[in-house]
Amino acid sequence: MFNSLSDRLTSTFKNLRGKGRLSEADVDATVREIRRALLDADVAVPVVREFAAHVKERALGEEVSAALNPAQQVVKIVNDELVRILGGETRRIRLAKTPPTVIMLAGLQGAGKTTLAGKLAKWLKGQGHSPLLVAADLQRPNAVTQLQVNGQRAGVPVFAPHPGVQSEFEAATGDPVAVARDGVAEARQKLHDVVIVDTAGRLGIDAEMMQQAADIRAAVNPDEVLFVIDAMIGQDAVNTAQAFHEGVDFTGVVLSKLDGDARGGAALSVASVTGKPVMFASTGEGLDDFEIFHPDRMANRILD
Ligand code: GDP
């Protein structure tokens, strides 16, 4: 990912090398190239516009630092702006003062929620937590089984509705809101300190699905709502993110499939348009293909 954007930016900066001082025309030409490179990488238009304006303003107004030549200065400004649009500081999970911490996952079908649930559970377990996975995706036929398989691999128990079996809690079968509520009750009773609630998605945004996600949110009062988005969906990322932002009001973003050859625009746009930070990255199908997202490291990777 980001290969093409990275190459384009690097060659733009090359044109500035050896210049003693940047004229306004130099800055304009550079900003134009940066704008084109971002648009070609599928970054959303309003995000590109703001990015370009900030770079221009700072490149013309910046105090000339003795330590940096003009080319280095522009690289630094672009780096700072990339970190800013990716959400700034690294954001960690907010743990509840009184356990269990409830983490709800939301996103379109196929975004990578169920896979992420397993990854997150394994990672939290490695951090010394005792997570419980809750299978509240009753839409996709295989989702419950898939979560059970992931849970087994991660060594983390899964709370799931058993068809036809009256659980000691509510007979939750068929009602994802009841499953989610019962799952959190089970975590409390069995002293799990973190609960991860997997929810259903659809292939496209749909009012019924959004309502279900909002109902689950209201029922379990999560400490974090993580919106999982497939980095490969390009320009659609922004509309999808905005719909979930309004529909369930998520607290953080997880970019999945960062191992693919996406152009990277989704990653650069989503945090910026929703004002919510990217917290994790999913980088493969395996349970260990999971990273805490550091905006500064991602910016470095792009500008390397
Ligand atoms: P859900 O519908 O949101 O629960 O999505 P799933 O977790 O079932 O993922 C959909 C597909 O994407 C599955 O085939 C996963 O193996 C695959 N997948 C999930 N995350 C990643 C990732 O980070 N990288 C790659 N390459 N594939 C992924």
Side-chain angles (χ1 to χ4, degrees):
M1 216 176 77
F2 287 126
N3 288 344
S4 152
L5 176 62
S6 197
D7 291 348
R8 293 272 297 272
L9 291 178
T10 312
S11 72
T12 303
F13 300 142
K14 245 184 220 149
N15 296 335
L16 295 176
R17 261 195 226 148
K19 291 201 187 264
R21 208 185 143 71
L22 297 188
S23 65
E24 186 157 351
D26 292 329
V27 171
D28 279 340
T30 305
V31 170
R32 209 161 32 237
E33 280 304 306
I34 294 170
R35 190 190 291 136
R36 282 204 199 110
L38 291 170
L39 288 172
D40 287 347
D42 273 346
V43 180
V45 173
V47 178
V48 174
R49 204 175 285 140
E50 198 194 344
F51 191 100
H54 279 193
V55 173
K56 180 170 178 181
E57 190 187 329
R58 286 187 56 191
L60 291 175
E62 199 92 336
E63 289 279 308
V64 181
S65 153
L68 297 177
N69 64 41
Q72 289 167 327
Q73 215 137 35
V74 172
V75 174
K76 182 181 178 304
I77 292 169
V78 171
N79 180 77
D80 291 350
E81 289 299 315
L82 284 173
V83 173
R84 187 184 61 78
I85 67 168
L86 287 166
E89 303 259 300
T90 305
R91 226 285 257 125
R92 308 270 170 177
I93 286 200
R94 277 187 303 239
L95 295 172
K97 286 205 182 74
T98 317
T101 298
V102 179
I103 302 170
M104 171 180 162
L105 307 182
L108 293 181
Q109 184 174 317
K113 290 181 297 301
T114 307
T115 308
L116 177 84
K119 294 176 179 189
L120 200 55
K122 184 168 183 203
W123 176 73
L124 285 164
K125 194 180 169 190
Q127 304 270 305
H129 294 285
S130 161
L132 176 71
L133 286 160
V134 175
D137 177 357
L138 309 184
Q139 209 77 42
R140 195 157 55 84
N142 267 333
V144 173
T145 317
Q146 194 190 330
L147 192 69
Q148 281 165 328
V149 170
N150 282 345
Q152 210 158 32
R153 286 196 190 128
V156 169
V158 177
F159 179 88
H162 305 286
V165 177
Q166 193 85 10
S167 78
E168 57 182 294
F169 299 93
E170 212 166 316
T173 311
D175 178 359
V177 180
V179 172
R181 198 189 309 116
D182 286 358
V184 173
E186 164 122 334
R188 195 167 287 124
Q189 199 194 48
K190 298 202 169 155
L191 303 180
H192 291 282
D193 65 341
V194 185
V195 198
I196 301 164
V197 182
D198 189 20
T199 69
R202 296 281 163 88
L203 288 175
I205 299 154
D206 137 338
E208 198 188 323
M209 170 200 69
M210 205 59 89
Q211 189 56 49
Q212 184 185 98
D215 289 346
I216 292 177
R217 193 191 205 296
V220 301
N221 190 23
D223 300 283
E224 296 279 9
V225 180
L226 301 183
F227 167 60
V228 184
I229 185 150
D230 179 343
M232 306 285 281
I233 73 172
Q235 288 284 358
D236 274 351
V238 167
N239 290 337
T240 310
Q242 263 162 344
F244 274 88
H245 183 46
E246 286 159 23
V248 289
D249 188 21
F250 54 83
T251 60
V253 178
V254 179
L255 295 170
S256 74
K257 310 191 193 178
L258 280 199
D259 51 312
D261 58 358
R263 286 179 280 187
L268 294 178
S269 308
V270 168
S272 183
V273 295
T274 63
K276 305 291 174 174
V278 182
M279 293 172 66
F280 299 103
S282 217
T283 55
E285 296 190 84
L287 282 192
D288 292 317
D289 301 327
F290 169 81
E291 292 168 17
I292 296 174
F293 189 88
H294 300 287
D296 53 344
R297 287 189 210 163
M298 183 55 92
N300 276 337
R301 217 146 94 188
I302 295 170
L303 296 180
D304 220 7

